[in-house]
């Protein structure tokens, strides 16, 4: 490999952005197909959700399996994308276990981060696996939300950026789709479900962002059509679904919002989604967790509920957190002092130089005076 290629490769490697996306919703709403369409390759085996309920029960803990892949986008950015597919629900009598499994997965990633942050010595190989966005697939019924959708979205929203989408949107006519979108957004407002709504701030955001967000917002919930089939349309090979009455093109904005959500997730809104995840959702979780430990620990100890082991563990966590903060503070002081020393040294050098120049000038003046007569 030539050295310039090595350099270029390194540069690209440096640019890699990590992003993690979860898909969730009822079985058969097109989650797996969407993921494969988004990635342009078969990342997930088709119809994974179809294993029967007995197996599902046995394998409960094993059912959320994240997959990570490298995506090279046209713009020269490389994305290390983690896809978290979740078991479909709505088809089981016990939805509660699906709920808690999904929320449990999200919280475990936060717990890992919390443990890592509380460690005095950081682990250089630690991987932050927080989920940055969750596409919630709504069944294309043509109506608003089901009770199940409301409950799950409500419970997930404090832990992850939930983006509502209508799966298999080609099952609806354009009129039905529009009506359904309106009904769903009305429900989201009515039940106060804090989904991610491409908010903007007229004062802080630039014109482009405001326009882009207004546009994306107007599409909510995104109408998704996915397909692993490639069909020739006017000489172009595109992912599409073939029907006796015609072709539905995945990438065609008149047929679906696939392109809009793809570009928001993998391009325009990637950073924002990551920032919200870290600065708000994770931060809230961290506060909840630490104050639970600090406050709840003592209370429950008095109630005699918490055992000595738990208490000891918790005080270790708190102590580690304190130590970490103190360590950080010390490091800051060290940096400051070092900076001051450097500045003083610099000043000293300047003064020394000035002195040397003055000396030289005096010497030259002397020499001149001796030569003159
Ligand atoms: N009409 C239509 N069918 C789809 C679409 N996406 C997937 N399907 C089909 O719906 C079935 C379930 O899809 P799958 O992706 O496995 O759904 P999942 O259970 O949510 O993962 C499969 O037969 C797919 O071919 C879509 O956008 N439109
Ligand atoms: Mg699936």
């Amino acid at each position: 490999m030539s050295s310039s290629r090595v350099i270029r490769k390194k540069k690209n490697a440096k640019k890699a952005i990590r992003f993690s996306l979860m898909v969730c919703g009822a079985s058969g709403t097109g989650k797996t197909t969407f993921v494969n369409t988004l990635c342009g390759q078969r990342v997930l085996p088709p119809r994974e959700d179809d294993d029967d309920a007995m197996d599902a029960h046995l394998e409960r803990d094993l059912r959320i399996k994240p997959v990570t892949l490298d995506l090279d986008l046209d713009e020269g950015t490389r994305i290390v994308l983690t896809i978290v597919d979740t078991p479909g629900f709505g088809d089981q009598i016990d939805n509660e276990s699906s709920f808690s499994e999904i929320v449990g997965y999200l919280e475990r990633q936060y717990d890992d981060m919390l443990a890592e942050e509380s460690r005095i010595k950081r682990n250089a190989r630690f991987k932050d696996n927080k989920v940055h966005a969750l596409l919630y697939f709504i069944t294309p019924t043509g109506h608003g939300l089901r009770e199940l959708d409301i409950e799950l979205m409500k419970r997930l929203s404090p832990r992850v950026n939930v983006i509502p989408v209508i799966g298999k949107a080609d099952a609806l006519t354009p009129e039905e789709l529009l009506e359904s979108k309106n009904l769903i957004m009305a429900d989201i407002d009515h039940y106060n479900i804090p989904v991610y709504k491409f908010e903007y701030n007229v004062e802080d955001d630039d014109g482009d962002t405001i326009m882009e967000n207004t546009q994306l917002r107007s599409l909510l919930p995104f109408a998704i059509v996915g397909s692993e089939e490639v069909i020739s349309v006017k000489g172009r090979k595109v992912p599409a679904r073939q029907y006796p009455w015609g072709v539905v093109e995945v990438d065609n904005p008149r047929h679906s919002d696939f392109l809009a959500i793809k570009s928001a997730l993998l391009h325009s809104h990637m950073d924002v989604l990551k920032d919200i995840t870290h600065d708000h959702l994770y931060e809230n979780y961290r506060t909840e967790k630490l104050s639970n430990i600090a406050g709840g620990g003592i209370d429950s100890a008095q109630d005699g509920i918490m055992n000595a082991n738990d208490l000891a563990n918790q005080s270790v966590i708190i102590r580690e957190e304190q130590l970490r903060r103190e360590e950080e503070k010390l490091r800051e002081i060290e940096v400051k002092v070092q900076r001051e020393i450097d500045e003083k040294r610099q000043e000293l050098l300047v003064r020394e130089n000035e002195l040397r120049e003055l000396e030289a000038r005096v010497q030259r003046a002397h020499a001149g005076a001796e030569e003159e007569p």
Side-chain angles (χ1 to χ4, degrees), residues 290-303 306 310-311 314:
L290 289 178
S291 50
N292 261 346
I293 290 172
I298 295 156
D299 283 347
S300 7
Q302 278 165 351
D303 294 346
M306 186 162 282
D310 286 344
L311 256 185
Q314 290 178 352

Side-chain angles (χ1 to χ4, degrees), residues 159-211:
R159 296 289 180 245
V160 65
N161 289 303
V162 174
I163 302 175
V165 304
I166 301 178
K168 303 212 276 199
D170 56 335
L172 302 173
T173 67
E175 294 76 30
E176 285 169 338
L177 182 63
L178 195 64
E179 164 88 349
S180 180
K181 278 189 173 195
N182 289 335
L183 288 173
I184 290 168
M185 288 322 279
D187 279 346
I188 285 178
D189 282 342
H190 181 258
Y191 292 100
N192 262 323
I193 310 173
V195 296
Y196 179 65
K197 282 195 196 137
F198 298 88
E199 274 93 359
Y200 53 82
N201 190 324
V202 185
E203 275 158 31
D204 297 342
D205 288 321
D206 57 75
D208 283 351
T209 308
I210 295 176
M211 229 161 65

Side-chain angles (χ1 to χ4, degrees), residues 14-19 77-81 270-271 274:
K14 231 188 218 166
K15 259 200 196 156
I17 313 167
R18 291 176 67 85
F19 191 75
T77 27
R78 210 184 100 220
I79 298 174
V80 179
L81 182 67
M270 192 171 240
D271 287 337
K274 289 181 78 164

Side-chain angles (χ1 to χ4, degrees), residues 97 110 181 194 197 234 241 255 364 369:
S97 59
Y110 286 162
K181 278 189 173 195
K197 282 195 196 137
K234 291 190 198 123
R241 302 191 77 87
H255 298 182
R364 273 200 302 273

Side-chain angles (χ1 to χ4, degrees), residues 67-102:
V67 182
T68 298
L69 72 154
D70 269 21
L71 272 189
D72 272 311
L73 296 188
D74 317 331
E75 298 89 9
T77 27
R78 210 184 100 220
I79 298 174
V80 179
L81 182 67
T82 298
I83 298 283
V84 193
D85 198 2
T86 61
F89 54 81
D91 39 9
Q92 289 145 8
I93 300 162
D94 173 23
N95 286 307
E96 180 53 39
S97 59
S98 299
F99 283 3
S100 32
E101 193 182 341
I102 295 166

Side-chain angles (χ1 to χ4, degrees), residues 235-342:
R236 272 190 329 126
K237 286 206 176 298
V238 293
R241 302 191 77 87
Q242 176 88 60
Y243 292 103
W245 41 264
V247 172
V248 180
E249 295 162 56
V250 168
D251 285 349
N252 188 334
R254 281 184 317 189
H255 298 182
S256 93
D257 305 324
F258 175 84
L259 218 51
I261 186 65
K262 177 179 176 179
S263 127
L265 287 175
L266 300 183
H267 185 59
S268 58
H269 286 69
M270 192 171 240
D271 287 337
V272 162
L273 291 165
K274 289 181 78 164
D275 288 349
I276 297 175
T277 306
H278 190 80
D279 300 343
H280 297 286
L281 303 172
Y282 168 66
E283 211 41 49
N284 284 346
Y285 179 77
R286 186 173 167 279
T287 311
E288 266 173 45
K289 190 100 187 191
L290 289 178
S291 50
N292 261 346
I293 290 172
I298 295 156
D299 283 347
S300 7
Q302 278 165 351
D303 294 346
I305 294 169
M306 186 162 282
N307 67 35
N309 232 346
D310 286 344
L311 256 185
N313 280 343
Q314 290 178 352
S315 55
V316 167
I317 294 179
I318 293 171
R319 185 77 199 118
E320 280 195 348
E321 175 76 1
Q322 280 169 346
L323 276 174
R324 192 179 65 80
R325 286 219 196 99
E326 277 162 27
E327 204 184 36
E328 238 159 51
K329 227 179 270 162
L330 279 176
R331 212 174 299 130
E332 270 167 28
I333 295 172
E334 201 183 292
V335 169
K336 209 175 127 208
V337 169
Q338 188 59 47
R339 203 183 304 127
E340 281 171 9
I341 293 176
D342 286 347

Side-chain angles (χ1 to χ4, degrees), residues 44-62:
L44 303 169
R47 311 259 37 177
E48 197 180 29
D49 294 340
D50 272 1
D51 37 11
D52 58 53
M54 281 252 283
D55 271 10
H57 181 71
L58 285 176
E59 284 199 308
R60 196 136 282 299
D61 286 345
L62 299 173

